[in-house]
Amino acid sequence: MKTQAGSAGALALLISTTLLLPGCGGGGLDEDSTPEMPTVAQALAASSQSGKVGTFTEARHAVNSLLLLVGPPGTIPLPFKSGSTAKAAQPQGPMTKALTATGQKAADPKAACSGGGTETTGQQNGVNVMSPYSDQLFNLALVTDANCRQVQQSGSDTYTITVNGLSSRNGEVPEGSQRISYAQRGESASAPFRISEEYRYSEGGRSYTDTLLLETFGLTHRRNNSNNDIISGEFYTRTLGQLSGFDSGNAYGGALALQQGSSTTSRYLVTVLEAGALNVSGTLAVGLLSQPASFAANCGSGTFTVSTPTPIQLVDNGIQGKLQLVGSGGTATYLFSSDGQVEITAGDGSKQTVSQSTLGNCDFGG
């Protein structure tokens, strides 16, 4: 991966879509191709363990990993800002960038499959999607991709994205003044939507290739107001991924496993109050592993129960409200203040106040 600004740009391009995975031939993640690097199986195992919040360090690492995932999929609801600069904190390093990307809406790579492959559209009418908000039947539009590829070139750099599987299955119905929507990506956890991203570039007379492979299955039930703003939602998403490349000429690799909700029926719940504050509850599971290990040294892997005793709301210097994470070692509490600080109380009672702008970044002491 290119160094400094170059590497950040390369990785931002490389990971700009997420929540999805491999492609080129439609196969799944190959966990044996780079045995010296972390595997998806290892990331899954890390995410299935009870997340640690017993000590201050554990509680700090946990919130670093989870903060960008607490809101609805397809958004980054908590853009933390520095009180001194009023600028949003920027994620650093491959693992944090990968984690951030999973909170972003996947870019549409199609451009009519300009680099090859096909895209098929379809319709399903009168479908009972088991919506928690409406008993109506839905008419759903389907988009399915088969090696649908887009290639972008800039000088000697080439960026290729290839997608495979059920890209979307979605629709909505009216319910009084509200709109009730359903969206799905991937057929199932065993037949996920897949994305392969490849970035080829030259540096110092040498050629490099960075890759990101992602696969995702997710479903979303949402209730929106007449302005199409979300009022409440129930989400289940499961994302697996591997990334590899070069940083300053040295090889690196990573594996991730992310899950919102414990199952398709036991989903992650989000309620948005009139003032825009978020109430959330449910489980989040995260597994983030890297080689070198320093890339994920401050990522807190595991399964956590999430709640907001006081709704979380965006303010001028960051956010305010209270977040709780339950895991191994008890309950960690994060009291966010409007002055841009957060008081972290770990499961063992240890307590410390830090700047909100330092959270959400688990690379190199973030």
Side-chain angles (χ1 to χ4, degrees):
M1 182 190 301
K2 293 185 176 182
T3 58
Q4 300 301 324
S7 83
L11 197 58
L13 281 174
L14 184 65
I15 313 177
S16 60
T17 33
T18 97
L19 278 194
L20 332 143
L21 173 342
C24 299
L29 290 166
D30 181 1
E31 298 176 8
D32 298 322
S33 59
T34 53
E36 75 281 3
M37 296 295 180
T39 67
V40 172
Q42 290 170 333
L44 272 170
S47 71
S48 67
Q49 302 297 313
S50 180
K52 297 180 179 180
V53 295
T55 67
F56 172 80
T57 298
E58 291 171 348
R60 172 72 177 273
H61 291 177
V63 77
N64 281 345
S65 293
L66 298 181
L67 199 53
L68 296 174
L69 305 177
V70 299
T75 65
I76 301 180
L78 305 175
F80 290 92
K81 298 179 180 180
S82 165
S84 59
T85 64
K87 294 181 179 179
Q90 297 297 313
Q92 301 173 4
M95 297 310 296
T96 293
K97 288 178 181 291
L99 184 61
T100 302
T102 65
Q104 298 174 338
K105 182 179 179 181
D108 184 354
K110 321 288 193 302
C113 303
S114 58
T118 59
E119 178 178 280
T120 304
T121 60
Q123 187 82 18
Q124 292 180 340
N125 297 325
V127 180
N128 182 2
V129 300
M130 305 299 289
S131 171
Y133 307 120
S134 176
D135 294 329
Q136 298 184 63
L137 299 180
F138 284 64
N139 295 333
L140 303 174
L142 283 73
V143 179
T144 304
D145 296 297
N147 290 323
C148 183
R149 181 176 297 142
Q150 180 181 354
V151 181
Q152 300 176 4
Q153 288 187 306
S154 176
S156 61
D157 297 354
T158 302
Y159 169 64
T160 304
I161 178 172
T162 308
V163 295
N164 280 279
L166 179 65
S167 176
S168 66
R169 179 175 181 255
N170 62 76
E172 66 174 24
V173 297
E175 193 81 11
S177 63
Q178 299 176 357
R179 306 294 298 180
I180 310 302
S181 64
Y182 173 81
Q184 178 181 332
R185 175 159 282 183
E187 296 283 358
S188 65
S190 59
F193 183 65
R194 295 184 167 98
I195 281 187
S196 172
E197 299 187 48
E198 179 183 270
Y199 187 61
R200 294 179 179 270
Y201 60 93
S202 298
E203 182 178 72
R206 299 178 62 184
S207 297
Y208 299 104
T209 300
D210 289 353
T211 63
L212 175 69
L213 304 177
L214 293 170
E215 61 184 26
T216 193
F217 168 67
L219 58 85
T220 296
H221 295 280
R222 290 177 62 147
R223 185 163 57 96
N224 287 28
N225 62 21
S226 57
N227 294 325
N228 208 34
D229 300 320
I230 183 173
I231 300 172
S232 58
E234 297 190 7
F235 310 98
Y236 173 75
T237 62
R238 183 176 186 265
T239 302
L240 307 178
Q242 278 189 321
L243 63 157
S244 63
F246 289 86
D247 186 14
S248 303
N250 297 314
Y252 78 88
L256 60 87
L258 310 173
Q259 187 166 306
Q260 256 185 335
S262 58
S263 70
T264 56
T265 56
S266 180
R267 298 183 285 265
Y268 188 77
L269 308 180
V270 175
T271 302
V272 182
L273 306 182
E274 287 187 6
L278 292 179
N279 266 331
V280 301
S281 63
T283 61
L284 292 177
V286 179
L288 294 169
L289 304 173
S290 70
Q291 181 60 248
S294 56
F295 281 152
N298 297 303
C299 301
S301 294
T303 297
F304 304 84
T305 301
V306 184
S307 63
T308 47
T310 303
I312 295 178
Q313 185 172 19
L314 182 66
V315 294
D316 288 342
N317 292 323
I319 60 173
Q320 65 182 15
K322 181 186 290 186
L323 174 71
Q324 285 188 337
L325 302 179
V326 178
S328 175
T331 300
T333 300
Y334 307 84
L335 182 60
F336 296 94
S337 301
S338 59
D339 62 0
Q341 301 296 302
V342 55
E343 181 185 79
I344 301 176
T345 304
D348 63 4
S350 57
K351 186 179 301 186
Q352 189 170 329
T353 298
V354 300
S355 171
Q356 294 180 26
S357 65
T358 66
L359 302 184
N361 190 342
C362 53
D363 296 301
F364 302 118

